[in-house]
Amino acid sequence: MTSKNNSNKVVDVVLIGAGIMSATLGVLLKELAPELSIEIFERLDVAAAESSDAWNNAGTGHSAFCELNYTPQLPDGSVETHKAVAIAESFEVSKQFWSFLVAQNIVGSPETFIKSIPHMSFVWGDDNVAFLKERYTKLQQCELFKEMTYSEDPKQLEEWMPLVMADRDPAAKVAATRMLLGTDVNFGALTREMLNTLQTKPDVSMEFNQEVRKLKQKDGIWEVKVRNQDTGDKRTVKAKFVFIGAGGGSLPLLEKSDIPEGKGFGGFPVSGQWLKCVNPEVIEKHNAKVYGKAAVGSPPMSVPHLDTRMIDGKKALLFGPYAGFSTRFLKNGSLLDLPLSIKVNNIRPMIAAGLDNIPLTKYLIDQVRQSPEDRMTALREYLPAAEMKDWELETAGQRVQVIKKDEKLGGVLEFGTEVVAAADGSIAALLGASPGASTAVSIMVTLMERCFPEQMKSAEWTNKLKLMIPSYGQQLNNNPTLAQQIRNETTKALHLQVTELV
């Protein structure tokens, strides 16, 4: 559908970026208020081609089952689990919403975007094994992690992940945890299905090759200046509410909005690459997502993992990601993205964060300088029998980590997602990266609570949300009966093949 240029027309909602965040928010709002008019603008020629694309994100279905950076070890040796529990809760919310989408035929067969795949954490060495055992012990106290199993037995680990254990030193101290409830999610496929259905709804349009150039609020209405990248034509779209869900491109647009809440934010871009297996025999021998520990000073997105993926119906095996640095904020962005994002209001936080993260800078420089042999050495820590002929380098997506002002430190580098909203709730932007897509539903619900507070408190919206997310308003980790009920229901609805559910 293509919207007509009517200078007097005011649409209810403009979504900038056709990724998982805009798709999720668009579907939620249209289900809650079918009368809303929505326009979606995407600068590329297809949906979900940046951070939401299957090759450009981890696709783990981030549930904190295997990502060790979500359970940091404290100075006293104990393990912090709060973030892991929060992420696991959020992923359960996502699964409930996706189950609703399937039931309502908003998306087709769940097999097109989600599959069961065990999530595993794997470590070696006395200190790391002690950490993993402590992590397992702490997580066993959390309802959402009760199904996790732990082993230091090499024979058991060989059954779980034969490729990882093949040719490994039998005397090495190793340990792993496993969650059969893990999933692999193709967020690109999910996003495109959601948007395809959303476009069929009344008063919804989505246009490609449209770049948003300026944002200005006038008399409570946002004027969104859009340029057609094919023809060069420019026009202004008026909107009551604007969501900036443009991945790495969100920061420059937030700056252009000139809202006070957006002052002081900066961005630190981190690029990535995968080693992709090209040998079908090797691919078939591995069936898990195996995560290890990140190197000291490395960003969380660089946690090494040997990852079974289902991409467009075909099984794939990736290792990485290998981090790098580019001044682009998007994979298809400009080399000027970073320098142009530096403003008077954020230069101090960015300098302070840079000085505070010199080990990260050194890590990224070392990563950029890696040779093919260096990358194979890293792979062989997880796959001792790996041969170079079986792997090729694949460019991954671009992430922009959030830099925010801090009264004491001047500026801090945040690894996560940040919702920035105007005081009047008329505009909001999503900054940051992991766990991102996996927790999109919770993030967008939180955004709506900030931007549509009265509607979210109404009985009409609350009741509709409970149809989409049955656990809405409740904590699963503190409610074993509800948690098991929800997991059983979503497992069935999403056609997941988990054999050890109660």
Side-chain angles (χ1 to χ4, degrees), residues 23-37:
T24 300
L25 181 59
V27 171
L28 279 167
L29 287 174
K30 198 64 177 176
E31 289 296 314
L32 291 169
E35 72 280 3
L36 290 177
S37 56

Side-chain angles (χ1 to χ4, degrees), residues 190-364:
L190 174 60
T191 299
R192 287 184 282 272
E193 286 205 47
M194 292 169 68
L195 290 175
N196 285 342
T197 300
L198 188 59
Q199 285 183 86
T200 68
K201 305 289 185 181
D203 297 318
V204 177
S205 70
M206 182 166 67
E207 299 179 56
F208 296 105
N209 297 309
Q210 306 290 321
E211 184 176 25
V212 174
R213 305 296 293 272
K214 293 182 180 179
L215 292 160
K216 183 180 180 180
Q217 192 179 35
K218 185 177 180 180
D219 299 327
I221 298 296
W222 283 97
E223 295 181 350
V224 183
K225 296 189 182 297
V226 185
R227 179 182 180 272
N228 186 311
Q229 298 197 105
D230 290 332
T231 66
D233 293 343
K234 299 177 183 178
R235 62 192 172 105
T236 299
V237 177
K238 296 179 180 179
K240 297 176 184 176
F241 171 76
V242 175
F243 171 61
I244 306 173
S250 290
L251 177 61
L253 289 172
L254 176 63
E255 291 176 334
K256 289 177 181 179
S257 75
D258 206 32
I259 61 172
E261 294 79 7
K263 305 295 185 185
F265 283 96
F268 185 83
V270 179
S271 59
Q273 295 176 312
W274 302 101
L275 278 180
K276 178 178 70 174
C277 186
V278 294
N279 185 334
E281 293 183 6
V282 175
I283 295 171
E284 284 304 314
K285 290 178 182 177
H286 187 72
N287 190 55
K289 292 180 181 294
V290 179
Y291 273 57
K293 289 194 74 174
V296 175
S298 64
M301 66 165 286
S302 297
V303 173
H305 49 286
L306 186 64
D307 197 346
T308 294
R309 302 286 300 277
M310 290 299 296
I311 300 177
D312 300 326
K314 187 176 181 180
K315 189 176 180 181
L317 181 60
L318 307 177
F319 178 78
Y322 298 93
F325 177 77
S326 166
T327 55
R328 289 184 172 91
F329 278 179
L330 292 164
K331 194 173 179 180
N332 295 282
S334 165
L335 291 171
L336 296 176
D337 286 343
L338 177 59
L340 289 177
S341 75
I342 300 173
K343 309 293 181 184
V344 173
N345 64 69
N346 68 7
I347 190 167
R348 181 171 177 264
M350 292 184 73
I351 292 173
L355 292 173
D356 198 43
N357 286 276
I358 291 175
L360 170 60
T361 304
K362 180 180 182 300
Y363 169 81
L364 292 175

